[in-house]
Amino acid sequence: MIKTKNLTKKYVDSAILRDINLDISRGQLTTLLGQNGAGKSTLLRIIAGQEFPTSGVVNFQDNNIHQL
């Protein structure tokens, strides 16, 4: 299970993601849709642990992935 809580990512003065709350259950198929520059890739990189959020947390099986 992957959960994001109040996930925000800012670059300089621009907020790419603002307070994203996402709950993906085990075995659930999920897609991200949006315009260019909407933050889809940024969200995926944060969930994968390749980037750190400005604020908020990403939990995988109830463990904060950025503290592993």
Side-chain angles (χ1 to χ4, degrees), residues 7-11 14-17 42 46 51-54:
L7 200 64
T8 298
K9 179 66 175 182
K10 293 182 181 178
Y11 293 109
S14 297
I16 304 302
L17 302 173
T42 301
I46 291 171
E51 286 192 34
F52 288 93
T54 304

Side-chain angles (χ1 to χ4, degrees), residues 1-4 22-30 32 47:
M1 174 180 283
I2 298 171
K3 288 185 179 183
T4 68
L22 183 64
D23 190 354
I24 303 172
S25 299
R26 183 181 176 121
Q28 179 179 347
L29 180 63
T30 302
L32 297 174
I47 289 172

Side-chain angles (χ1 to χ4, degrees), residues 3-67:
K3 288 185 179 183
T4 68
K5 184 174 180 184
N6 300 326
L7 200 64
T8 298
K9 179 66 175 182
K10 293 182 181 178
Y11 293 109
V12 187
D13 293 330
S14 297
I16 304 302
L17 302 173
R18 283 187 214 121
D19 296 323
I20 303 296
N21 295 300
L22 183 64
D23 190 354
I24 303 172
S25 299
R26 183 181 176 121
Q28 179 179 347
L29 180 63
T30 302
T31 61
L32 297 174
L33 300 173
Q35 299 175 346
N36 290 343
K40 301 175 298 291
S41 295
T42 301
L43 176 60
L44 291 175
R45 283 193 302 269
I46 291 171
I47 289 172
Q50 296 174 338
E51 286 192 34
F52 288 93
T54 304
S55 64
V57 294
V58 178
N59 289 325
F60 176 70
Q61 298 180 346
D62 296 326
N63 295 308
N64 183 333
I65 66 161
H66 294 103
Q67 292 179 347

